Amino acid sequence: DTCRLISEHGMELCCGVLLGMGESDGQRIELLGQLREAGPAEVPLNFLDPRPGTPLAGRPLVAAREAIRWIALFRLALPDVILRYAGGREVTLGDLQEMGMTSGVNALIVGNYLTTLGRAPQEDLVMLDNLRMPVGTLSKVICPAVVS
């Protein structure tokens, strides 16, 4: 109902997802169907980074290749959505973050997240440069000296 109200009132809908909490493939497919129905403009894609002292502390990380497959499935299911890399990508994908970008991610959160540290913005800028992907910013957080 909230998602419907947001759209009815002319706002862009953003629906983040978190993979790796123990959900089944069937539940992930169900989630994709719900997202298609909701019609968000953006879907931040998070991967669980199990934190000590939390109920999910013992959960294993999503395997990197599995994460890449799900990125591709999200892109196929949501072709017009901004699919944004978000929390957990560093620990889940490691050196395969570039592959995730070419598998369907077309935006990313740079820097730190709500509860965990991200990687240095310069590393993401180098990755985007290596992939020859354009850089656009929503804020002045990335200073011109870092971009050049």
Side-chain angles (χ1 to χ4, degrees), residues 14-18 42-47 82-91 93 97 101 105-128 133-139 141-142:
C14 176
C15 295
V17 301
L18 175 58
E42 180 172 338
V43 175
L45 185 54
N46 297 274
F47 299 96
I82 296 171
L83 188 58
R84 185 178 298 276
Y85 258 156
R89 65 183 167 102
E90 296 84 1
V91 296
L93 291 159
Q97 288 183 67
M101 294 294 295
V105 171
N106 56 352
L108 53 106
I109 294 173
V110 175
N112 299 326
Y113 310 108
L114 294 175
T115 59
T116 59
L117 298 177
R119 61 187 201 166
Q122 187 60 37
E123 291 180 78
D124 284 332
L125 292 170
V126 168
M127 174 179 69
L128 294 172
M133 291 185 164
V135 175
T137 61
L138 296 176
S139 70
V141 173
I142 298 178

Side-chain angles (χ1 to χ4, degrees), residues 47 62-72 92-93 96 99 103:
F47 299 96
V62 174
R65 298 278 180 183
E66 178 185 356
I68 296 294
R69 283 191 300 272
W70 281 100
I71 290 168
T92 297
L93 291 159
L96 295 182
M99 185 183 289
S103 297

Side-chain angles (χ1 to χ4, degrees), residues 3 11 15-16 24 31-32 42 47-48 58 70 74 93 99-100 108-109 111 121 129 143 145-146:
C3 294
M11 295 187 289
C15 295
S24 67
L31 171 63
L32 280 170
E42 180 172 338
F47 299 96
L48 182 68
W70 281 100
F74 270 77
L93 291 159
M99 185 183 289
L108 53 106
I109 294 173
D129 188 55
C143 65
V146 174

Side-chain angles (χ1 to χ4, degrees), residues 29-82:
I29 296 293
E30 181 182 0
L31 171 63
L32 280 170
Q34 292 168 340
L35 287 169
R36 285 177 58 94
E37 186 177 314
E42 180 172 338
V43 175
L45 185 54
N46 297 274
F47 299 96
L48 182 68
D49 181 359
R51 308 309 301 160
T54 66
L56 298 176
R59 294 279 330 146
L61 293 174
V62 174
R65 298 278 180 183
E66 178 185 356
I68 296 294
R69 283 191 300 272
W70 281 100
I71 290 168
L73 286 169
F74 270 77
R75 174 51 58 218
L76 289 170
L78 306 165
D80 299 325
V81 166
I82 296 171

